[in-house]
Amino acid sequence: PIEAQALLATYGRDRGESDPLWLGSVKSNIGHTQAAAGVAGVIKMVLALQHERLPRTLYAEVPSSHVDWSVGEVRLLTEAVPWPSTGDRVRRAAVSAFGMSGTNAHLILEEAPAAQDAEAAEEPGEPVIPVVSGASAWVLSGRTADALSAQAGRLREWVSLRPSLRPVDVAWSLAATRSVFEHRAVVVGGDREQVLAGLGGLASTESSGSLVSGVARSHARPVFAFAGQGSQWVGMGRELAKISPVFAARLDACAAALEPYVDWSLTEVLAGAEGAPGEIAAATVAGMLSLEDGARVVALRSRALKVLAGAGGMLSVSRPAAEVEERLARFGDRLSLAAVNGPSATVVSGEPEALEELRAEFEAEGARARMVAVDYASHSAQVDRLEEEITTVLAGISPRPGRVPMVSAMTGETLTGEELDAGYWFRSLRATVHYDRAVRVLAGRGHQVFVEVTPHPVLMGAMNDTLEEVAQDAGGEPAAVCGTLRRDDGGAERLLISLAEAFVNGAPVDWQAVLPAGEQVELPTYAFRRRRYWPEGMLVLPMPGSAITGPTGTSADAEAAFWAAVEDGDLSGLGDGLALEGGRPFNEVLPALASWRRRERDRSTTAGWRYRTGWSAIAEPDARLLSGTWLVAVPAGPVATELAQGCVGALSARGAEAVVVEVPAGTVDRAELVVLLTGAADVSAVSGVLSLLALDEAPMPGHPVV
């Protein structure tokens, strides 16, 4: 694109139709033939879009006889034709350049939006407020691990030679101007020396405290995980509020939302606050509760819990839930299973004396058991007495559809938002929290990055254990688990490192929104790991009369003289070399020998450039027998009728019962497909599904150009 812009500026944007002389001058200014053809083609199509006119062909006046031009709508333009913008269909042009080296370059150009749309897009809006300030994050990526290390070394050397560069400008330029590849690294630091040290570690593949690196998971889908008790710490949020205007503004909004229900200031009490909202925070972030309703649920539900203060507690045990639950049977209503956070992370709630008895029992067996710092028993029978009060004070909340889906840690089901009424918030306080189950549900749906959104990660270990079990059962790689802040480490660098951990694992992080804006600086180019495609070790033949060195290093002058005489047709020289008078025996043989020599020389030169592919017939394997019901999903309409019939016949011939399911054209919604497929046959009897939906060429709803 940069070369194309430069050439447009050089040769003028106002030329109507490209001409051979102009294109020739473009090619003469670009050293690489393939690059020249590509740039020329781009300019040609840009001008065609601007002037609404397709130019005639320049080098192929006669249509190829190898193409059946009677089929389809493709034509060779012998004359320029109008190409107006209709408004209802986007104009696109494809440019392909084929180089002599075998390298191909392909590009699709699309017309720019209408002028009024472009002007509207350029109107200044509200200034972008960075998420953090006070630290830099330098984002690098590469196609391979070697390329990433080389990129770091190149950037470090470049920055070292420019001491006047501001770290904020380098960070901004890396975030705003560089593509993102699968091998990723982020160097975090508050000053220049710290960032350079991180780059040095990345270049030498050594670990560094300011360096986060990894390989992005393909199609990573992040999950925000909200924990409950245990994540609080004195001073949490204070440091982040000082350096993050975004966080400070949200904190002020929370304080205002809580104000009608409490007689204290959030900013004054935050450092010593107890309790954590858990699912309430998740519902608010997902947009299912307004900030005001979220604050109302937190404040009024917590107020109701005061009557339970001193009557209960909670115990965390590093044992599987089934084992813990078996121990609880003898305690009756005195103890309840409060939460299942992981394969060996269980929480019990209930009476303090019973909890102490259970704790001593587990510790005697070598299990880790510790009391949670609360004096009430959530998720136990003690909560039953609060049902009427909680449902009454929360009756006025107005749940709504969320911006993103939420998986309930109580039910394991995906919620839309309308379910989160007063009754739900009582049940979530009373019922067992199956956090482990919610993690398994999300991992089963393909989510690959879990981010615990808490002031201190308390469930990362449990989530890791769960995800490792899921991956082991599925035979894949476990999803990554990241945090946000940490106890006594809640500033800019900690938040940037946490964002970097999610980013290198594949989560999409908008670094331009995270970092303060700086000036764009020219960065060193990408450290390409070049591969040579030309054949190596080509045979070089000596000139006539030159010496040929044999494998032992000795000179073979006689052999060189012999072949030189053959190639030159020198009968006298050949006879002298062989000590034959007059060379008579070679009068007829010499031309044939010279011809053979030339053929062998050419053959040996080109033999290393080629490979051969041989084909041999094999017998068709026996048809495998099938059983059960097979669904054949086909797009409605005639496009797949013949193919569908053939597929049905093939399945039936092998013993399957084929059921054709017609899917309305343009259907892409998963829920609609589920209804259609499950309604066609008994799901338990279905052995397989053959989908021909890729043949559906109907426009997508809302995206007619796709």
Side-chain angles (χ1 to χ4, degrees), residues 258-264 274 295-309 376 386 389-390 393-394 429:
L258 280 171
E259 190 174 2
Y261 311 106
V262 296
D263 56 2
W264 42 263
E274 294 185 357
R296 183 175 183 176
V297 174
V298 170
L300 298 184
R301 202 173 74 164
S302 299
R303 181 186 298 171
L305 283 170
K306 286 184 177 181
V307 300
L308 303 180
Y376 56 88
L386 305 178
E389 179 182 356
I390 290 176
V393 297
L394 298 183
L429 186 65

Side-chain angles (χ1 to χ4, degrees), residues 127 248 271 331 400 578 679:
F331 291 95
R400 60 196 184 187
L578 296 177

Side-chain angles (χ1 to χ4, degrees), residues 546-557 559-560:
S546 64
I548 300 178
T549 303
T552 60
T554 59
S555 176
D557 290 335
E559 185 177 345

Side-chain angles (χ1 to χ4, degrees), residues 138-232:
W138 291 14
V139 181
L140 297 91
S141 68
R143 292 287 190 188
T144 63
D146 289 343
L148 181 60
S149 297
Q151 190 79 353
R154 179 177 293 194
L155 181 62
R156 185 180 187 278
E157 180 181 0
W158 183 82
V159 172
S160 299
L161 297 175
R162 294 164 176 80
S164 61
L165 275 177
R166 297 190 309 161
V168 65
D169 294 335
V170 178
W172 177 257
S173 301
L174 287 169
T177 66
R178 288 299 169 94
S179 299
V180 177
F181 303 113
E182 54 270 30
H183 290 266
R184 303 178 181 182
V186 181
V187 181
V188 177
D191 54 45
R192 176 187 176 90
E193 288 69 26
Q194 191 175 3
V195 180
L196 286 176
L199 286 177
L202 180 58
S204 59
T205 65
E206 296 179 358
S207 60
S208 170
S210 60
L211 170 65
V212 180
S213 61
V215 182
R217 288 159 168 77
S218 58
H219 309 294
R221 302 167 62 198
V223 173
F224 289 149
F226 293 83
Q229 300 290 352
S231 63
Q232 312 93 312

Side-chain angles (χ1 to χ4, degrees), residues 20 377 461 489:
D489 186 13

